Amino acid sequence: MRLFTKKIIGGAGDLTNGAPTDYKDNLYLAVNGAWQEKAEIPADKSSAGASMDLDMLIEKELMKDFKNLAADDQQIKSSEFLQAIKLYRLAKNVGFLKEFHEKPILKDLKRLEDLKNLEDFNQNIAQLAEDNFILPTNIWISADMKNTSKNAAYVDGADLILPDNNYYAPDNESGKKLLAKYAEVAQKLLTMVGYSLENAESTVERALKFDKTLVPIVKTSEEWAEYSKIYNPMDFSEFVTKSKNLDLKKLVVDQIKTTPDKVIIVQPRILENTDKLVNDDTFENMKAWMIVRYLVSNSKNLDETFRQTVGEYDLAFSGAKELPTRTKFAYHLSEDTYDEVIGVYYGKKYFGEKAKADVRQMVVRMIEIYKQRLTDNTWLSQDTKDKAILKLNKMVIKVGYPDKIRDIFQKLNVDETESLYDNSVKLLKVIRQDNLDSFKKPVNRTVWLMPGEEVNACYDPSRNDITFPAGILQAPFYSLQQTSSENFGGIGATFAHEISHAFDNDGAKFDEYGNMKNWWTKEDYAKFEKLTQRMIDQFDGIPFSGGKVNGKLVVGENIADVGGLRCAIEAAKMDKDYNPKEFFITWAKTWCFKATPEYNERLLAVDVHAPQPLRANVMAQDIDEFYDAFNVTQKDGMWLDEDKRVNIW
């Protein structure tokens, strides 16, 4: 006799450790339970699953290529790719880097140590910002969200040492342990660069004291999830008066080499509290915070001893058992720096133009289905429908990899006779300067937010484009060997998910050109907000891995999930060989996931996506076809009453 009731959300059973069961009781465990019982998280990773398997496959393929190419530069046809190989080769050269040890970073730490007071700090504030030091406030350049043809300066604030404000709660034991480990590692690093033990301890103590003052002021993960709320324009003449202690004018003008009419305030609370955070009384704490943050962030680029030391915190943070090998570290450092270059290389070699064309037509087909669903929509007015369809008509599709590598990568040159740290600093400065220079240039709409080798996909509301890198366009998401129903349950749902982001709680606030603009009728948006609240309520408080889901944090991704799954199944139905069981089984297969407790805790705190097993189950529960496919009744664990099922798009 089943003990499950129709009130269960997310299926019956423990999704993190459960054994296989029936599709009717738990779709996720029926598909992935056997895998989950046997799966082992790689020692140098914090999770395992469908996406991680592809990540590791790509890692293996590219690391093999890197090894071969590093042995013979003559094989390398691209000048940009040659620089990527040079960085990889330098990062692997343990003996050479050991000779430098701590020396390369000393000159930059001294720049911070020599700051005497706030006046001295203000004299150097723009140069420190340009050189990528971590400051209490700084700027970055991106498209003006209300006029996306032009770039604007966004003024942002500091982040916290730990991942989210919740880690600092008095009853959060994980946060206490993690912060203690950070302090321990930071002290070790300071002694390694010449600090006495006493000086190291006091420096870390002051840094943590400053970090604590930020906790009630910086944005929470839930607040960051509302993308449109980073847009808070302010006349520059008003902005420069917001602090008596920091030279805000110099911070902006000296970096972009002009005086802007306005700036965009990303974190208003930080701006309003600037003088409370930074003043004569807090200066030494702020300076210590800058020193510690910079040293911890850059230690991995010194030598292997430093990487192993800072890695002690990384392991506590991720829950992984061991650090990646030196060779993996070298590969990932190069891949992160030259991501677009490597993505084009990977896409051309392992994906190709033929697959690119095939996938593009699948995406176009999904957009057409979306248009039809909007046309048939019963709760939108015709005016809003027309504008939504216009947005779909203007949506830009990016598949596989870019046609052209951006010019910035021609400027990223590596000198193998210098230290890894000095090369990294130089490369980051070029990247930083390129961003600052873009203020005076029109927005480049051809930029890809993800490189070709990444196992992911995205929608950019400010460009109204969707990106599907070559990395994710493989089984179990997509394969010519899979049936149409399997492909639509996998990559088809991913395509439609990203399209749906154009109409999630944030995407719905942007028009066909990516401008933040209200194009809804008041009545339509009120209906949409009610549906959005239903999605928040559906997920809020669901138990997972010792914690609970924050429905508001994950609502945007959930709207995209349920909309994507609904459109994907409509596409699958159009094929003669439509098989609903294959569709839902593949859907669940793409979400197989196992993670360390530390990683699961962090995801629940900061990730805008719901836990993957819940995405597999709850979204299926919202789709009527799932019940027909597996004959699910009120007696079964996957049953959800019809009035509880959420259907937005």
Side-chain angles (χ1 to χ4, degrees):
M1 177 180 176
R2 287 193 176 92
L3 299 177
F4 316 126
T5 75
K6 62 183 179 182
K7 295 181 181 178
I8 289 176
I9 302 291
D14 182 350
L15 292 173
T16 54
N17 294 299
T21 185
D22 191 274
Y23 296 104
K24 297 180 179 183
D25 287 329
N26 194 305
L27 172 65
Y28 175 82
L29 290 178
V31 175
N32 302 309
W35 170 87
Q36 194 145 308
E37 282 194 311
K38 298 177 182 177
E40 293 186 7
I41 299 170
D44 62 349
K45 308 287 184 184
S46 53
S47 67
S51 295
M52 182 54 70
D53 285 348
L54 286 181
D55 271 331
M56 291 193 297
L57 172 63
I58 293 167
E59 180 183 75
K60 183 178 180 181
E61 291 169 338
L62 286 174
M63 283 183 66
K64 181 179 178 181
D65 289 353
F66 268 54
K67 181 180 179 181
N68 293 334
L69 293 169
D72 182 8
D73 289 355
Q74 299 303 314
Q75 302 177 70
I76 305 170
K77 299 176 182 178
S78 159
S79 60
E80 297 96 336
F81 199 81
L82 174 61
Q83 299 305 315
I85 292 298
K86 284 183 176 181
L87 184 61
Y88 163 79
R89 198 158 49 204
L90 175 61
K92 274 188 66 180
N93 197 342
V94 175
F96 177 70
L97 298 179
K98 188 177 181 180
E99 296 176 15
F100 293 97
H101 196 46
E102 86 287 3
K103 294 184 184 69
I105 202 171
L106 295 181
K107 59 184 181 299
D108 288 325
L109 290 177
K110 191 171 190 305
R111 290 172 64 185
L112 298 176
E113 291 161 357
D114 286 349
L115 294 171
K116 301 178 184 65
N117 48 40
L118 277 177
E119 183 182 356
D120 195 13
F121 177 67
N122 280 320
Q123 286 298 315
N124 291 278
I125 191 169
Q127 193 59 57
L128 290 170
E130 285 182 20
D131 292 344
N132 292 290
F133 286 91
I134 300 171
L135 310 183
T137 187
N138 205 346
I139 66 168
W140 40 270
I141 310 302
S142 190
D144 186 321
M145 288 164 63
K146 286 204 171 181
N147 181 6
T148 55
S149 64
K150 296 182 178 180
N151 282 308
Y154 287 74
V155 180
D156 205 349
D159 61 352
L160 299 168
I161 287 173
L162 298 185
D164 180 72
N165 317 57
N166 289 331
Y167 278 80
Y168 293 84
D171 60 347
N172 191 316
E173 295 303 320
S174 297
K176 292 176 185 176
K177 291 177 182 176
L178 202 54
L179 202 59
K181 175 56 73 172
Y182 184 94
E184 175 192 328
V185 167
Q187 287 172 18
K188 285 184 183 179
L189 293 172
L190 286 167
T191 59
M192 290 168 69
V193 296
Y195 280 56
S196 68
L197 180 58
E198 182 181 4
N199 194 8
E201 289 176 348
S202 62
T203 300
V204 172
E205 184 180 347
R206 289 195 301 272
L208 296 186
K209 191 173 182 180
F210 185 79
D211 183 64
K212 190 175 181 180
T213 65
L214 296 170
V215 175
I217 297 172
V218 301
K219 279 191 172 188
T220 65
S221 294
E222 186 178 301
E223 289 174 312
W224 278 117
E226 295 187 81
Y227 170 70
S228 58
K229 289 191 176 180
I230 71 169
Y231 192 81
N232 304 283
M234 181 179 289
D235 287 344
F236 192 67
S237 57
E238 179 186 357
F239 167 71
V240 298
T241 67
K242 286 294 183 178
S243 175
K244 296 177 181 177
N245 297 335
L246 286 187
D247 191 337
L248 297 176
K249 181 178 180 180
K250 188 176 184 66
L251 175 73
V252 176
V253 173
D254 284 15
Q255 289 194 79
I256 63 175
K257 313 305 181 192
T258 189
T259 302
D261 295 328
K262 67 179 180 183
V263 289
I264 315 301
I265 310 304
V266 177
Q267 298 196 61
R269 278 200 305 272
I270 286 189
L271 181 62
E272 294 300 327
N273 286 277
T274 296
D275 285 351
K276 183 189 294 185
L277 292 169
V278 181
N279 52 60
D280 290 333
D281 292 336
T282 65
F283 176 75
E284 289 300 327
N285 292 342
M286 181 194 75
K287 187 168 85 168
W289 177 84
M290 291 168 60
I291 290 168
V292 168
R293 293 293 303 274
Y294 188 79
L295 178 58
V296 172
S297 297
N298 289 277
S299 285
K300 65 182 184 297
N301 293 328
L302 291 168
D303 68 1
E304 183 62 9
T305 306
F306 275 92
R307 187 178 82 95
Q308 290 290 334
T309 301
V310 78
E312 294 174 23
Y313 173 73
D314 295 336
L315 293 178
F317 182 68
S318 68
K321 295 177 182 176
E322 61 186 43
L323 291 179
T325 63
R326 186 74 198 184
T327 301
K328 276 190 182 181
F329 164 75
Y331 159 72
H332 283 294
L333 179 64
S334 178
E335 190 250 350
D336 287 344
T337 307
Y338 294 90
D339 54 357
E340 191 169 285
V341 175
I342 293 165
V344 170
Y345 168 86
Y346 174 83
K348 287 181 176 180
K349 180 172 181 178
Y350 294 98
F351 185 62
E353 291 295 327
K354 186 176 180 181
K356 201 174 183 179
D358 182 56
V359 170
R360 178 175 287 275
Q361 63 84 21
M362 283 184 68
V363 178
V364 170
R365 177 177 172 183
M366 196 62 68
I367 290 175
E368 291 303 314
I369 289 170
Y370 221 107
K371 289 181 191 176
Q372 188 59 50
R373 286 192 61 77
L374 283 169
T375 300
D376 297 339
N377 183 287
T378 58
W379 59 271
L380 285 177
S381 67
Q382 190 60 48
D383 187 50
T384 304
K385 285 183 184 182
D386 291 343
K387 288 185 172 66
I389 290 171
L390 175 63
K391 190 171 184 180
L392 287 172
N393 286 334
K394 295 289 186 181
M395 190 173 283
V396 176
I397 303 168
K398 297 176 179 177
V399 170
Y401 48 92
D403 295 323
K404 182 179 180 295
I405 296 170
R406 283 178 292 146
D407 293 341
I408 175 65
F409 290 99
Q410 295 175 8
K411 302 175 185 177
L412 300 181
N413 297 312
V414 175
D415 184 345
E416 291 183 85
T417 67
E418 294 182 357
S419 71
L420 178 61
Y421 171 84
D422 285 326
N423 272 282
S424 297
V425 166
K426 181 175 65 177
L427 294 171
L428 286 173
K429 189 168 182 176
V430 172
I431 294 168
R432 169 75 177 162
Q433 192 60 52
D434 184 71
N435 178 251
L436 294 172
D437 291 345
S438 69
F439 179 79
K440 298 178 182 178
K441 300 175 182 177
V443 172
N444 181 1
R445 289 182 173 271
T446 67
V447 171
W448 282 50
L449 293 188
M450 291 178 173
E453 77 277 17
E454 188 166 339
V455 183
N456 211 334
C458 68
Y459 171 75
D460 182 354
S462 290
R463 285 184 172 85
N464 191 30
D465 68 19
I466 43 178
T467 302
F468 304 105
I472 198 173
L473 300 172
Q474 312 180 60
F477 296 93
Y478 166 78
S479 170
L480 293 175
Q481 280 67 53
Q482 292 181 171
T483 67
S484 171
S485 292
E486 288 172 325
N487 276 339
F488 278 112
I491 202 63
T494 303
F495 293 158
H497 169 102
E498 299 307 336
I499 296 167
S500 292
H501 272 310
F503 311 105
D504 69 15
N505 59 312
D506 258 327
K509 298 170 184 174
F510 295 80
D511 69 11
E512 68 272 19
Y513 296 109
N515 295 312
M516 193 161 71
K517 180 182 177 183
N518 182 17
W519 49 271
W520 294 65
T521 66
K522 186 177 179 181
E523 295 75 17
D524 285 346
Y525 202 77
K527 294 174 188 174
F528 176 65
E529 285 187 312
K530 285 184 179 179
L531 291 170
T532 297
Q533 188 59 50
R534 289 191 65 199
M535 181 59 78
I536 292 172
D537 294 341
Q538 186 177 64
F539 269 81
D540 198 48
I542 299 179
F544 187 82
S545 187
K548 290 184 178 181
V549 177
N550 179 343
K552 192 173 181 182
L553 176 64
V554 300
V555 63
E557 294 296 332
N558 288 341
I559 291 171
D561 267 352
V562 75
L565 194 59
R566 165 51 55 201
C567 286
I569 204 164
E570 290 297 324
K573 285 179 179 179
M574 295 172 68
D575 289 338
K576 293 179 181 179
D577 62 350
Y578 167 61
N579 184 317
K581 288 186 177 180
E582 290 181 349
F583 177 91
F584 285 105
I585 287 171
T586 306
W587 163 256
K589 192 181 294 183
T590 64
W591 297 118
C592 70
F593 182 76
K594 192 171 189 176
T596 63
E598 293 86 350
Y599 190 50
N600 272 328
E601 181 180 16
R602 175 154 51 106
L603 292 180
L604 283 172
V606 305
D607 195 2
V608 294
H609 304 83
Q612 294 189 31
L614 287 175
R615 295 174 78 177
N617 277 358
V618 181
M619 297 310 163
Q621 288 180 298
D622 281 333
I623 306 297
D624 294 342
E625 286 85 348
F626 170 75
Y627 297 86
D628 296 332
F630 296 102
N631 299 313
V632 179
T633 70
Q634 292 185 3
K635 299 177 182 178
D636 301 316
M638 283 294 290
W639 177 266
L640 189 63
D641 288 346
E642 291 184 39
D643 63 345
K644 298 289 194 300
R645 299 172 196 172
V646 180
N647 182 8
I648 300 179
W649 300 117

